[in-house]
Amino acid sequence: CFGVSGMIHIKTPEELAKMREAGRIVALAHDAVRTSIRAGMTSRELNAICERVITEAGATPSFKGLYGFPAAACISINDLLVHGIPDDTVLKEGDIVSVDIGACFEGYHGDSAWTYAVGEISEADRRLLQVSEQALFEGLKYARAGNRLTDISHAIGEYVFAHGCSIPRDYTGHGVGREVHEDPAVPNFGPAGHGVLLKPGMTIAVEPMVIAGRPQTRTLKDGWGVVTRDGSRTAHFEHTVAIANDGYEILTTLKKEEHPENG
């Protein structure tokens, strides 16, 4: 969600194979986060886990140095929506932590974010995570050749709004492949039936960013972190997927996942 530029590139089977491996490595890093995250550790320690898993798997962290970002993962806690810089902040019981991870394998990228609970969290936060994760899959129901890009956007937005949450206006999903951020931008709300026609071989990162309160945000003094203006909590879920004739394939996973049952 840093921004995109360039033309939409349809991936070859060989390119998709490299993206599957990049995505698998991202999923390995998320698996390590999932099993390691706990109260008392720092976001810097979480970042180190991500970087170690990525490099040991023969890839490089996509985000480290991207536009000057200083870490391997974006780690955003509670009201920090995106682009959190890992530091010595200690995670506390009840926090919710969004971890956005990218890996580059042989010149191709995978990108996925997930929001994790630290110990026991409030019922309101649990609901926020459930709504945000399901919004991702509501959008992906429309990720198939022949649909329009904003069919995905509309499905995400309608689900989020129906559950009383909001979506920040300035941050979107994006194409991904030889670059971390490629065209097209993938909005998280809006009318259906607009944008590019989805075609087999397109690869996109679909990433609902959901706010429990109002949608207004502000950027921190570090120039990276984005927080909610009203202090409400946030969640972020993202998968890189490949468009197919009969559905989509999740690339950022540890198992092959193809989903033909969509709109």
Side-chain angles (χ1 to χ4, degrees), residues 84-230:
I85 297 175
D87 58 16
D88 293 324
T89 299
V90 176
L91 305 185
K92 304 185 300 297
E93 181 89 6
D95 283 343
I96 55 175
V97 182
S98 298
V99 183
D100 193 354
I101 304 170
C104 182
F105 177 78
E106 295 186 0
Y108 289 83
H109 298 271
D111 184 6
S112 174
W114 222 253
T115 302
Y116 299 95
V118 180
E120 291 297 319
I121 61 174
S122 70
E123 184 57 35
D125 286 344
R126 191 178 309 280
R127 180 176 179 275
L128 173 64
L129 267 58
Q130 290 170 344
V131 169
S132 305
E133 182 177 354
Q134 186 58 36
L136 169 62
F137 290 98
E138 291 298 316
L140 289 178
K141 289 178 181 179
Y142 295 86
R144 66 178 301 166
N147 284 347
R148 292 284 177 179
L149 181 73
T150 68
D151 295 340
I152 297 172
S153 311
H154 180 73
I156 291 170
E158 290 303 292
Y159 186 84
V160 171
F161 299 147
H163 286 81
C165 298
S166 67
I167 293 171
R169 299 300 190 251
D170 298 329
Y171 303 94
T172 71
H174 51 88
V176 59
R178 290 180 289 192
E179 303 292 336
V180 181
H181 301 109
E182 300 180 347
D183 277 342
V186 185
N188 289 315
F189 65 95
H194 296 274
V196 299
L197 185 69
L198 299 178
K199 299 178 180 180
M202 286 183 176
T203 48
I204 57 176
V206 180
E207 54 176 319
M209 289 154 270
V210 180
I211 299 174
R214 299 179 63 83
Q216 289 77 18
T217 62
R218 64 180 178 85
T219 303
L220 297 177
K221 291 180 180 179
D222 63 18
W224 285 104
V226 176
V227 297
T228 57
R229 286 189 176 272
D230 64 4

